[in-house]
Coordinates of all heavy atoms in Angstrom, one line a residue:
T201 N 1.7 18.1 -4.0 CA 1.3 17.4 -5.2 C 1.1 15.9 -4.9 O 1.6 15.4 -4.0 CB 2.3 17.7 -6.3 OG1 1.8 17.1 -7.6 CG2 3.7 17.0 -6.0
Q202 N 0.3 15.4 -5.8 CA 0.2 13.8 -5.9 C 0.8 13.3 -7.2 O 0.6 12.1 -7.5 CB -1.2 13.4 -5.6 CG -1.6 13.5 -4.1 CD -3.0 13.2 -3.9 OE1 -3.9 14.1 -3.9 NE2 -3.3 11.9 -3.7
R203 N 1.4 14.2 -8.0 CA 1.8 13.8 -9.3 C 3.4 13.7 -9.2 O 4.0 14.7 -8.9 CB 1.4 14.7 -10.4 CG -0.2 14.8 -10.4 CD -0.7 15.7 -11.4 NE -0.4 15.3 -12.7 CZ 0.1 16.0 -13.7 NH1 0.4 17.3 -13.5 NH2 0.3 15.6 -14.9
F204 N 4.0 12.5 -9.6 CA 5.4 12.4 -9.4 C 6.0 11.8 -10.6 O 5.5 11.0 -11.4 CB 5.6 11.4 -8.2 CG 5.2 12.1 -6.9 CD1 3.9 11.7 -6.4 CD2 5.9 13.0 -6.3 CE1 3.4 12.2 -5.3 CE2 5.4 13.6 -5.1 CZ 4.2 13.2 -4.7
I205 N 7.3 12.2 -10.9 CA 8.2 11.5 -11.9 C 9.3 10.9 -11.1 O 10.0 11.6 -10.4 CB 8.7 12.6 -12.9 CG1 7.5 13.1 -13.7 CG2 9.7 11.9 -13.8 CD1 7.9 14.3 -14.5
F206 N 9.5 9.6 -11.3 CA 10.7 8.9 -10.7 C 11.9 8.9 -11.5 O 11.8 8.4 -12.7 CB 10.3 7.5 -10.3 CG 9.2 7.4 -9.2 CD1 7.8 7.5 -9.6 CD2 9.5 7.4 -7.9 CE1 6.8 7.5 -8.6 CE2 8.5 7.4 -7.0 CZ 7.2 7.5 -7.3
L207 N 12.9 9.7 -11.2 CA 14.1 9.7 -12.0 C 14.7 8.4 -12.0 O 14.8 7.6 -11.0 CB 15.1 10.8 -11.4 CG 14.6 12.2 -11.5 CD1 15.6 13.2 -10.9 CD2 14.4 12.7 -13.1
E208 N 15.3 8.1 -13.1 CA 16.1 6.8 -13.3 C 17.5 7.0 -13.1 O 18.0 8.1 -13.1 CB 15.8 6.2 -14.6 CG 14.3 5.8 -14.8 CD 14.0 4.9 -16.0 OE1 14.9 4.5 -16.7 OE2 12.8 4.6 -16.1
D209 N 18.3 5.9 -12.8 CA 19.7 6.0 -12.5 C 20.4 6.7 -13.7 O 20.3 6.4 -14.9 CB 20.2 4.6 -12.4 CG 20.9 4.5 -11.0 OD1 20.6 5.1 -10.1 OD2 22.0 3.8 -11.0
G210 N 21.2 7.8 -13.3 CA 22.0 8.5 -14.3 C 21.2 9.7 -14.9 O 21.8 10.4 -15.7
D211 N 19.9 9.9 -14.5 CA 19.2 11.0 -15.0 C 19.7 12.3 -14.4 O 20.1 12.4 -13.3 CB 17.7 10.9 -14.6 CG 16.9 9.9 -15.6 OD1 17.5 9.4 -16.5 OD2 15.7 9.7 -15.3
V212 N 19.6 13.4 -15.3 CA 19.9 14.7 -14.9 C 18.6 15.5 -15.4 O 18.2 15.5 -16.5 CB 21.1 15.4 -15.6 CG1 21.3 16.8 -15.1 CG2 22.3 14.5 -15.3
A213 N 18.0 16.3 -14.4 CA 16.8 17.1 -14.7 C 17.0 18.5 -14.5 O 17.7 19.0 -13.5 CB 15.6 16.6 -13.9
E214 N 16.5 19.3 -15.5 CA 16.6 20.8 -15.3 C 15.2 21.3 -15.1 O 14.3 21.1 -15.9 CB 17.2 21.5 -16.6 CG 17.4 22.9 -16.5 CD 18.0 23.4 -17.8 OE1 17.6 23.1 -18.9 OE2 18.9 24.4 -17.7
L215 N 14.9 22.0 -14.0 CA 13.6 22.4 -13.7 C 13.5 23.9 -13.6 O 14.3 24.6 -13.0 CB 13.2 21.9 -12.3 CG 13.1 20.4 -12.0 CD1 14.5 19.9 -11.6 CD2 12.2 20.0 -10.9
T216 N 12.5 24.5 -14.2 CA 12.2 25.9 -14.1 C 10.7 25.9 -13.6 O 10.0 24.8 -13.6 CB 12.3 26.6 -15.4 OG1 11.5 26.1 -16.4 CG2 13.8 26.6 -15.9
I217 N 10.1 27.1 -13.4 CA 8.7 27.1 -12.9 C 7.7 26.4 -13.9 O 6.7 25.8 -13.6 CB 8.2 28.5 -12.5 CG1 8.5 29.5 -13.6 CG2 8.7 28.8 -11.2 CD1 7.7 30.8 -13.3
D218 N 8.0 26.6 -15.2 CA 7.1 26.1 -16.2 C 7.6 25.1 -17.1 O 7.0 24.7 -18.2 CB 6.5 27.3 -17.0 CG 7.6 28.2 -17.6 OD1 8.8 27.7 -17.5 OD2 7.3 29.3 -18.1
N219 N 8.8 24.5 -16.8 CA 9.3 23.5 -17.8 C 10.2 22.5 -17.0 O 10.9 22.9 -16.0 CB 10.1 24.2 -18.9 CG 10.3 23.3 -20.1 OD1 9.6 22.4 -20.3 ND2 11.3 23.6 -20.9
L220 N 10.2 21.3 -17.6 CA 11.1 20.3 -17.0 C 11.7 19.5 -18.1 O 11.0 19.1 -19.0 CB 10.2 19.4 -16.2 CG 10.8 18.0 -15.9 CD1 12.0 18.2 -14.8 CD2 9.8 17.0 -15.2
V221 N 13.0 19.4 -18.1 CA 13.7 18.7 -19.2 C 14.5 17.6 -18.5 O 15.3 17.9 -17.5 CB 14.6 19.6 -20.1 CG1 15.2 18.7 -21.2 CG2 13.8 20.7 -20.7
I222 N 14.4 16.4 -19.0 CA 15.2 15.3 -18.3 C 16.2 14.7 -19.4 O 15.8 14.4 -20.5 CB 14.3 14.2 -17.8 CG1 13.3 14.7 -16.8 CG2 15.1 13.0 -17.1 CD1 12.3 13.8 -16.2
Y223 N 17.4 14.4 -19.0 CA 18.4 13.8 -19.8 C 18.8 12.5 -19.2 O 18.9 12.4 -18.0 CB 19.7 14.6 -20.0 CG 19.4 16.0 -20.5 CD1 19.0 17.1 -19.6 CD2 19.4 16.3 -21.9 CE1 18.7 18.3 -20.1 CE2 19.1 17.6 -22.3 CZ 18.8 18.6 -21.5 OH 18.5 19.9 -22.0
D224 N 18.9 11.4 -20.0 CA 19.3 10.1 -19.4 C 20.8 10.0 -19.2 O 21.6 10.9 -19.5 CB 18.7 8.9 -20.2 CG 19.4 8.8 -21.5 OD1 20.3 9.5 -21.8 OD2 18.9 7.9 -22.3
K225 N 21.3 8.8 -18.8 CA 22.7 8.7 -18.5 C 23.6 8.9 -19.7 O 24.8 9.2 -19.5 CB 23.0 7.3 -17.8 CG 22.6 6.1 -18.6 CD 22.9 4.9 -17.9 CE 22.7 3.6 -18.6 NZ 21.5 3.4 -19.4
D226 N 23.0 8.8 -20.9 CA 23.8 9.0 -22.1 C 23.7 10.4 -22.6 O 24.2 10.8 -23.7 CB 23.4 8.0 -23.2 CG 23.6 6.6 -22.8 OD1 24.6 6.3 -22.1 OD2 22.6 5.8 -23.0
G227 N 22.9 11.3 -21.9 CA 22.8 12.6 -22.3 C 21.6 12.8 -23.2 O 21.4 14.0 -23.7
A228 N 20.9 11.9 -23.5 CA 19.7 12.0 -24.5 C 18.5 12.5 -23.8 O 18.2 12.2 -22.6 CB 19.4 10.6 -25.1

Side-chain angles (χ1 to χ4, degrees):
T201 186
Q202 281 175 269
R203 302 177 68 225
F204 298 99
I205 293 171
F206 293 88
L207 290 180
E208 293 194 5
D209 235 32
D211 280 358
V212 178
E214 185 180 38
L215 299 87
T216 60
I217 50 169
D218 52 10
N219 199 22
L220 164 68
V221 183
I222 303 175
Y223 302 89
D224 70 7
K225 59 179 184 321
D226 302 317

